[in-house]
Amino acid sequence: MDKDYLIQFNTDGKRLNTYANGVHYQIIEPQPIIETKIDKETGEAIEEVIGYTDEEILNLVDSFDYQTVIDNGGVWFGQDDYNKLIGNANKEYIYKDGQIVEKPPEPIDIEALKTAKIAEMKAERDNREVQDIEYNGKMFDYDDKSRERLTLSRQALEDNKTESILWTCADNTFATLTLEDFKAINTLSATRSTQLHEQYNKLKLLINSLETEEQIKEVTFDTDTSTITLNTGN
């Protein structure tokens, strides 16, 4: 038996601790036991192998004891098997039921996939909520700063009883906005926000109802949710 490595394993068959010949221990191979005899006819000395010494294993590290490792499930391996276990092969391997076998596919955590997909949908909702808003053939910025400017400008028109204000659009063209225009833009944004949040909430229901990885991966923010009804508590 090759003893290039001494390895302990987790319950799933993956390597836990690995010890190497020449680092943690040293294998002293069996040595021939030689007996010298005198040939009766010639009187010459003849050496004859009459047996071999036992293999010896020396611990090279004070904190290491190979026998303790073996008593705790350690297994000897040669270089070829070690290469499989560390991934230096075309396939992944583990040690199971006393033999090296191909690593089975990792079990799919469906709940984790659902959580990740829902987070992805939430991020997409938030991204769409700050996209430019089209009004009267013009595109208006609607990020956080732009929303604040719209609110302040609308308030200024009301406070100062000003008829209109010149506004820089998303494409750097200009538009004259009245109080009614600000109200209309706000209504468009509120409608869009409501639709986005409704779609997100329906997507959550849909995702949580799915059972396979393939189904979850196929979901996008634009997935049809028209048949899903939200429980409004009524």
Side-chain angles (χ1 to χ4, degrees):
M1 175 190 297
D2 292 330
K3 296 180 179 177
D4 298 317
Y5 297 92
L6 180 58
I7 303 177
Q8 291 173 295
F9 296 89
N10 290 309
T11 55
D12 60 3
K14 297 178 182 177
R15 287 183 306 123
L16 174 62
N17 297 312
T18 301
Y19 306 97
N21 184 22
V23 178
H24 300 91
Y25 60 90
Q26 181 180 354
I27 301 294
I28 307 299
E29 301 291 344
Q31 302 298 312
I33 300 173
I34 299 175
E35 183 179 88
T36 302
K37 296 180 179 181
I38 302 299
D39 189 296
K40 295 179 180 180
E41 295 182 1
T42 64
E44 295 179 354
I46 300 175
E47 292 184 345
E48 181 180 346
V49 177
I50 61 173
Y52 289 85
T53 61
D54 292 333
E55 177 187 79
E56 187 177 359
I57 304 176
L58 304 178
N59 295 316
L60 299 180
V61 180
D62 291 339
S63 60
F64 174 80
D65 177 58
Y66 81 91
Q67 188 59 54
T68 299
V69 174
I70 291 175
D71 292 342
N72 285 280
V75 182
W76 298 111
F77 291 97
Q79 186 65 51
D80 290 342
D81 285 339
Y82 173 73
N83 285 335
K84 288 183 177 181
L85 291 169
I86 64 173
N88 291 343
N90 294 330
K91 301 176 182 178
E92 290 189 77
Y93 292 88
I94 60 172
Y95 186 73
K96 202 71 172 176
D97 298 327
Q99 58 185 334
I100 296 176
V101 297
E102 289 185 29
K103 178 183 175 183
E106 294 288 347
I108 297 172
D109 189 339
I110 294 296
E111 293 306 314
L113 289 177
K114 290 179 181 180
T115 298
K117 177 60 73 169
I118 289 173
E120 179 187 329
M121 296 301 98
K122 182 177 181 180
E124 180 62 18
R125 179 203 68 188
D126 294 345
N127 177 61
R128 295 189 183 200
E129 204 162 12
V130 296
Q131 295 301 303
D132 297 347
I133 286 200
E134 184 176 2
Y135 172 68
N136 276 352
K138 292 284 188 177
M139 299 301 295
F140 292 85
D141 294 313
Y142 208 71
D143 54 27
D144 291 342
K145 287 186 177 181
S146 298
R147 289 200 303 274
E148 183 179 2
R149 286 181 57 235
L150 285 165
T151 300
L152 291 174
S153 297
R154 174 182 174 177
Q155 189 64 50
L157 286 181
E158 291 181 334
D159 293 345
N160 299 317
K161 301 190 183 310
T162 305
E163 184 176 342
S164 63
I165 187 173
L166 190 64
W167 193 266
T168 304
C169 299
D171 61 356
N172 291 321
T173 60
F174 298 96
T176 300
L177 298 181
T178 65
L179 183 59
E180 292 305 314
D181 291 325
F182 281 107
K183 290 180 180 179
I185 292 173
N186 183 71
T187 298
L188 285 173
S189 66
T191 300
R192 179 176 72 177
S193 179
T194 298
Q195 292 171 343
L196 289 171
H197 280 259
E198 181 178 321
Q199 174 69 354
Y200 167 69
N201 289 328
K202 287 184 176 181
L203 286 170
K204 283 199 298 183
L205 291 176
L206 171 64
I207 292 167
N208 283 323
S209 72
L210 301 178
E211 299 179 351
T212 69
E213 178 183 13
E214 292 72 19
Q215 290 173 330
I216 295 170
K217 286 183 175 180
E218 287 178 358
V219 175
T220 70
F221 199 86
D222 297 311
T223 294
D224 183 12
T225 58
S226 59
T227 60
I228 299 175
T229 302
L230 295 174
N231 181 5
T232 60
N234 295 329

